[in-house]
Amino acid sequence: MTRPSGLQAEESRRTLGRLFAPIQAGLAAAERVFQDELKSRHPFVQTLVDHCGDYQGKRLRPALVLLTGGACGRIGEAHPILAAVVEMVHTATLVHDDVLDESLVRRHAATVNAEWGNESAVMLGDYLFAHAYRLAASLETTLACRWIGVAAKEVCEGELQQIHNRGNLDLDEATYSQIIAGKTAALTAVSCRLGAHYAGALEPAVAAMESYGWHVGMAFQIADDVLDIWGDERATGKSLGTDLEKQKLTLPIIRLLEAGDPAAVAEARGLLMEARAGSRGRLQPLLEESGALDYAWAKARWHVEQAIAALDVAAPSPYKDVLAEMAEYVLRRSS
């Protein structure tokens, strides 16, 4: 298996524009809720909030709330609110991630930490979290607040596990899977669970949609980890190589260290201990020749297949079709 060449950034945007056509009205409503909720009377705070517009890229998580709602029967008044909530939580995690990774660029723009410093970035992330929970609490019950709270906890646990395992060259695949299940899959899973539940779906369908979201999140993160090594910063619009600089082991690296020939493993360990972004180019042939790259893509493909299988619970509809294509999209994207 060879590495997919990926879509160019413009083609990727066109693909998402086509996929999101059935939910354009819902996404527009969610964007209005997002902007209205975060308005501040303080000019500096509003400047930071406005900058968050640069962080909003694919809008996958809000789209999942709306699409699963449609696939399960209806998109109601709560769906745009919930879509805005999950986008706030996601944006908050990105702002905090950029501080942790010392990233300078996100979505082709300066990160908050690069432009205004770590203190402002940390507080902005907290500000977004606070508004997300306030907005979720505005619904008739606290159910959404509780589910989002659990997901946010799992995101933090995943990030803390990853920090704890920095420099651990013996990290195994099972622990890696636990890390990405928390830091990425938890939020995509709860987005789908919320969408299905607030459409009035029965629990088996809600659970199936949650499973869909979890597997999409797992595939998305594995693909993201591959892009950190092979991606083009002009296409991704963010700093690459940060995983290597921070000695965060990802699936291709883990597989190389577990299954590569002794010489390749020794060279890879030396490069990882250097912890330099420039090691990307020297690691690439080792990963390709050892089969570690193909292994990572095969794992991501398996998660995509599981996600699509979970959609069997839903009746045929344009929304279901888009969800299936979105699962495939996470492996074809270039950013």
Side-chain angles (χ1 to χ4, degrees), residues 155-171:
V155 170
C156 293
E157 287 175 342
E159 291 287 358
L160 287 167
Q161 278 187 285
Q162 186 167 68
I163 292 168
H164 176 67
N165 281 287
R166 281 179 182 171
N168 176 13
L169 300 188
D170 296 315
L171 183 71

Side-chain angles (χ1 to χ4, degrees), residues 2-70:
T2 57
R3 178 170 64 93
S5 60
L7 298 171
Q8 294 301 311
E10 183 58 36
E11 184 181 349
S12 181
R13 284 192 291 270
R14 287 198 300 268
T15 298
L16 287 179
R18 175 178 57 80
L19 290 177
F20 292 169
I23 54 167
Q24 278 304 319
L27 286 173
E31 179 62 22
R32 289 192 295 272
V33 172
F34 186 97
Q35 296 298 333
D36 290 346
E37 174 64 25
L38 294 176
K39 281 181 181 175
S40 174
R41 67 182 185 277
H42 303 291
F44 177 62
V45 176
Q46 190 61 52
T47 295
L48 296 179
V49 168
D50 291 343
H51 192 75
C52 287
D54 293 327
Y55 277 64
Q56 291 178 274
K58 303 171 190 67
R59 297 185 294 175
L60 291 179
R61 292 150 194 86
L64 288 174
V65 173
L66 297 165
L67 288 167
T68 51

Side-chain angles (χ1 to χ4, degrees), residues 123-145:
M123 292 309 302
L124 176 62
D126 292 348
Y127 182 82
L128 289 163
F129 275 124
H131 275 281
Y133 290 118
R134 194 219 68 80
L135 185 57
S138 70
L139 298 174
E140 291 184 2
T141 73
T142 60
L143 179 67
C145 231

Side-chain angles (χ1 to χ4, degrees), residues 27-320:
L27 286 173
E31 179 62 22
R32 289 192 295 272
V33 172
F34 186 97
Q35 296 298 333
D36 290 346
E37 174 64 25
L38 294 176
K39 281 181 181 175
S40 174
R41 67 182 185 277
H42 303 291
F44 177 62
V45 176
Q46 190 61 52
T47 295
L48 296 179
V49 168
D50 291 343
H51 192 75
C52 287
D54 293 327
Y55 277 64
Q56 291 178 274
K58 303 171 190 67
R59 297 185 294 175
L60 291 179
R61 292 150 194 86
L64 288 174
V65 173
L66 297 165
L67 288 167
T68 51
C72 288
R74 67 181 181 88
I75 298 174
E77 293 181 0
H79 283 88
I81 296 171
L82 293 166
V85 167
V86 297
E87 185 69 353
M88 286 178 197
V89 172
H90 175 58
T91 305
T93 65
L94 295 182
V95 172
H96 283 170
D97 278 352
D98 286 341
V99 174
L100 295 174
D101 294 338
E102 300 177 37
S103 297
L104 302 178
V105 178
R106 165 121 13 218
R107 311 288 186 214
H108 304 282
T111 56
V112 175
N113 50 293
E115 190 76 13
W116 292 282
N118 287 343
E119 294 91 345
S120 294
V122 169
M123 292 309 302
L124 176 62
D126 292 348
Y127 182 82
L128 289 163
F129 275 124
H131 275 281
Y133 290 118
R134 194 219 68 80
L135 185 57
S138 70
L139 298 174
E140 291 184 2
T141 73
T142 60
L143 179 67
C145 231
R146 295 200 304 273
W147 285 358
I148 292 165
V150 170
K153 172 189 73 72
E154 292 177 358
V155 170
C156 293
E157 287 175 342
E159 291 287 358
L160 287 167
Q161 278 187 285
Q162 186 167 68
I163 292 168
H164 176 67
N165 281 287
R166 281 179 182 171
N168 176 13
L169 300 188
D170 296 315
L171 183 71
D172 59 24
E173 186 177 334
T175 305
Y176 164 81
S177 294
Q178 290 175 1
I179 290 170
I180 69 170
K183 64 177 283 187
T184 302
L187 192 54
T188 51
V190 79
S191 297
C192 295
R193 183 169 185 82
L194 289 165
H197 174 80
Y198 280 85
L202 298 177
E203 181 54 32
V206 172
M209 288 298 173
E210 181 178 34
S211 176
Y212 165 87
W214 188 86
H215 284 291
V216 164
M218 295 293 285
F220 187 97
Q221 187 58 58
I222 293 171
D224 211 55
D225 291 343
V226 170
L227 283 172
D228 193 66
I229 300 173
W230 279 276
D232 181 342
E233 289 189 351
R234 292 171 298 178
T236 62
K238 65 180 181 180
S239 303
L240 295 179
T242 55
D243 289 338
L244 297 177
E245 287 184 89
K246 295 294 182 179
Q247 294 182 308
K248 299 177 182 178
L249 266 64
T250 54
L251 185 56
I253 301 292
I254 291 168
R255 181 62 179 178
L256 170 61
L257 296 179
E258 288 182 347
D261 66 69
V265 171
E267 184 177 354
R269 281 181 170 268
L271 291 169
L272 291 166
M273 290 177 69
E274 289 178 6
R276 296 178 182 173
S279 300
R280 289 174 70 208
R282 295 169 64 186
L283 279 167
Q284 287 171 358
L286 299 177
L287 292 161
E288 291 170 356
E289 292 164 11
S290 68
L293 172 60
D294 290 346
Y295 180 85
W297 280 119
K299 284 287 185 178
R301 164 56 56 189
W302 181 83
H303 281 294
V304 167
E305 291 170 353
Q306 297 304 304
I308 293 172
L311 295 175
D312 286 346
V313 70
S317 72
Y319 302 104
K320 179 179 177 178

